[in-house]
Amino acid sequence: MRLLPFGLLLVLASGLSIILIYITGISNIDPNSRLSAQDLDALQALQSSFQQCVSANGLGLRAEFETDNCHVTMKFPDDTVSKWSDPKSGEIEGLSHEFNLCEAVATWEQVRNSTTVLTKEYIDALPNGWKDYAWRRINKGIQLDNCRNKSLCMEKLSLVLPLTPPYYPRQFRRCAVVGNSADLLKTKFGKEIDSFDAVFRQNGAPIQNYSEYVGSKSTFRLLNRGSAKALDKVADLYDAGKEALIVKTTIHDIMSKMIRAIPILNPVYLMLGTSFGSSAKGTGLKALEFALSVCDTVDIYGFTVDPGYEEWTRYFSESRGGHTPLHGRAYYQMMECLGLIKIHSPMRADQNRVVKWLPSPSIVTAGRIASEKLLARFGAGSADPLGQCSIISKQQNSKKPPTSLRKAALEHQKYVKGATLYPLEHNPNHGLLCTVPQ
């Protein structure tokens, strides 16, 4: 009789060993095994073009790759003088910065096809969207905890929560995103910036008294938490009703009161953002994300700190703490050499400057498909534009996009079969939430 428990124990131990061996084996599988020879060639072609592009356009920057096809180190020249230091540790910013090129090319492709404004449709389509998600976009409070009182949550969000997306991919042709760097004062880009179809600005950056340097046109203004809480001051910077205000963080009761009290005549929306991890942060990146989600091409001004900078400063105020200028400069150079943006600065003042050695669209597309497979993205490698939809939900109130949209925007709607694609915030599978007409 004593043999029976012993035998059972032996069987359980053997089974556990098999499971551990299986798990260990799975964890040690080479990610490259997911790729075909054609995929590996695509990544190598992307790397080669990317390296040459950085070398030709990076003003001394160079790109060096590891052996895993994805990790790239952007290195500044050894004689670069780093002026920024961490306010806590006092550590000087380094001259090399690591990025994941595969993650970048796969994520930004999703951004180009996604709707990035929070809508009621999005919250409704999420499993437990009102209970698990909506309350995090509202100021803290016991009554709002997990939106147990859904009506109160809806009331709090009502001023900034459209039913369906107000903006669509490819709605605008040429767009300019204007940063806040003091580099803008070195070149009079004003008329050039005003020539774009849409212009994006950030926080409280003024136009008055600076128009010859930063232009006078403004279509969108991206706001961080501090600027959103001082919305009445931001509203004084432009003619009421012209700019759309996009708030990148949570909404606050104080902001809702200001919209009613002043009143703010401009449309105000919440940003539904993609997670870029620790690679790049800040309002500037969110402005680029929003612009890339609604524009065919994006040019940036006032983002870069070219060689010889002394400190990170705004064009309209004192030195800006908390930024890592070289890190941001390296990330934006990576974006330019993926064909996402075009950088303008005092050292790149020619509006007709050609980005040399830019990877062709076919190389970027093939590299993106290979990257999705390597990263095990949801729907990786699928020719179906809805292949990355980890959640698909029917629209409760089907609403066609405005007929006034550009042809490119309407064609994009047909391309995705009329669906609305939303980025899923911090989703581990990097899928999309898609809603389709009934």
Side-chain angles (χ1 to χ4, degrees):
M1 293 292 291
R2 292 178 181 175
L3 291 174
L4 187 59
F6 178 77
L8 186 59
L9 255 166
L10 188 62
V11 169
L12 288 172
S14 300
L16 184 59
S17 299
I18 291 170
I19 291 171
L20 287 173
I21 291 170
Y22 175 77
I23 291 173
T24 303
I26 289 295
S27 64
N28 290 331
I29 289 177
D30 182 1
N32 285 341
S33 64
R34 303 189 187 107
L35 304 183
S36 66
Q38 184 178 3
D39 291 328
L40 290 171
D41 288 344
L43 286 179
Q44 289 169 3
L46 180 62
Q47 286 180 16
S48 177
S49 294
F50 181 82
Q51 279 183 307
Q52 293 178 84
C53 178
V54 172
S55 178
N57 302 280
L59 301 177
L61 268 172
R62 63 186 188 278
E64 296 182 0
F65 282 89
E66 304 291 340
T67 57
D68 65 354
N69 295 311
C70 289
H71 289 89
V72 59
T73 301
M74 303 286 276
K75 294 187 175 182
F76 285 86
D78 294 337
D79 60 355
T80 302
V81 180
S82 182
K83 296 286 187 178
W84 185 89
S85 60
D86 188 295
K88 293 182 178 179
S89 67
E91 185 177 350
I92 298 293
E93 183 180 16
L95 301 184
S96 65
H97 302 273
E98 296 181 0
F99 303 109
N100 188 317
L101 194 68
C102 297
E103 185 82 30
V105 73
T107 300
W108 283 109
E109 177 63 18
Q110 282 194 355
V111 170
R112 302 303 299 269
N113 291 293
S114 297
T115 296
T116 51
V117 167
L118 182 66
T119 66
K120 183 177 182 295
E121 174 186 78
Y122 174 82
I123 299 176
D124 286 341
L126 283 175
N128 299 316
W130 284 96
K131 180 181 178 182
D132 297 332
Y133 174 77
W135 68 277
R136 286 188 272 127
R137 303 306 299 268
I138 308 172
N139 200 27
K140 294 177 181 178
I142 296 175
Q143 289 181 306
L144 301 180
D145 186 27
N146 287 55
C147 280
R148 291 188 178 92
N149 186 337
K150 181 178 175 180
S151 297
L152 184 57
C153 281
M154 291 181 71
E155 180 184 338
K156 295 288 185 185
L157 287 168
S158 62
L159 290 175
V160 293
L161 195 68
L163 179 64
T164 55
Y167 307 110
Y168 296 86
R170 294 153 181 78
Q171 183 168 348
F172 302 95
R173 188 169 67 89
R174 296 174 60 250
C175 297
V177 179
V178 184
N180 297 340
S181 170
D183 276 359
L184 283 165
L185 300 180
K186 297 177 183 178
T187 310
K188 295 182 179 180
F189 282 126
K191 290 183 179 179
E192 185 175 314
I193 290 171
D194 286 342
S195 70
F196 285 83
D197 300 316
V199 178
F200 299 68
R201 300 184 188 274
Q202 301 166 49
N203 296 319
I207 293 173
Q208 189 176 3
N209 300 326
Y210 296 98
S211 58
E212 64 179 328
Y213 302 102
V214 303
S216 57
K217 185 175 184 177
S218 193
T219 316
F220 298 98
R221 188 174 291 266
L222 273 288
L223 305 174
N224 61 18
R225 183 176 302 181
S227 295
K229 291 175 72 174
L231 198 59
D232 53 339
K233 296 178 182 178
V234 174
D236 289 337
L237 299 176
Y238 48 83
D239 293 334
K242 287 188 176 181
E243 280 182 330
L245 307 179
I246 312 295
V247 184
K248 73 163 189 164
T249 53
T250 186
I251 177 140
H252 297 260
D253 289 346
I254 188 172
M255 188 176 115
S256 297
K257 291 176 183 177
M258 280 191 289
I259 293 173
R260 290 187 174 96
I262 294 177
I264 302 293
L265 301 179
N266 307 59
V268 183
Y269 301 110
L270 286 181
M271 177 91 175
L272 177 59
T274 299
S275 174
F276 293 93
S278 60
S279 291
K281 299 178 181 178
T283 309
L285 184 75
K286 288 301 174 185
L288 288 178
E289 179 185 350
F290 184 71
L292 284 164
S293 75
V294 296
C295 303
D296 287 336
T297 65
V298 175
D299 290 50
I300 70 171
Y301 298 80
F303 273 74
T304 189
V305 178
D306 285 329
Y309 85 101
E310 294 183 1
E311 58 182 336
W312 177 259
T313 57
R314 295 186 182 102
Y315 71 85
F316 55 91
S317 68
E318 74 287 347
S319 298
R320 177 71 169 102
H323 276 262
T324 48
L326 295 180
H327 183 275
R329 164 88 172 74
Y331 192 87
Y332 297 132
Q333 187 58 63
M334 179 177 71
M335 291 183 69
E336 182 177 63
C337 282
L338 286 175
L340 295 165
I341 61 175
K342 185 177 179 181
I343 300 171
H344 299 266
S345 73
M347 296 185 71
R348 313 165 194 227
D350 181 7
Q351 184 179 14
N352 299 314
R353 177 180 72 90
V354 175
V355 182
K356 300 175 183 176
W357 289 102
L358 188 67
S360 68
S362 60
I363 288 178
V364 172
T365 298
R368 186 260 305 166
I369 292 171
S371 296
E372 289 173 353
K373 293 179 182 178
L374 191 63
L375 298 167
R377 286 291 181 92
F378 204 96
S382 173
D384 181 4
L386 303 186
Q388 293 185 342
C389 300
S390 57
I391 302 173
I392 297 183
S393 177
K394 297 290 184 183
Q395 294 173 0
Q396 296 300 314
N397 296 290
S398 182
K399 182 180 177 182
K400 294 182 179 179
T403 54
S404 59
L405 289 177
R406 291 176 57 242
K407 183 180 179 182
L410 293 172
E411 287 178 348
H412 181 267
Q413 289 293 310
K414 294 178 183 177
Y415 171 70
V416 296
K417 305 172 186 175
T420 304
L421 282 60
Y422 297 90
L424 280 173
E425 286 191 335
H426 309 296
N427 180 53
N429 293 323
H430 297 271
L432 295 168
L433 186 151
C434 305
T435 59
V436 295
Q438 291 179 323

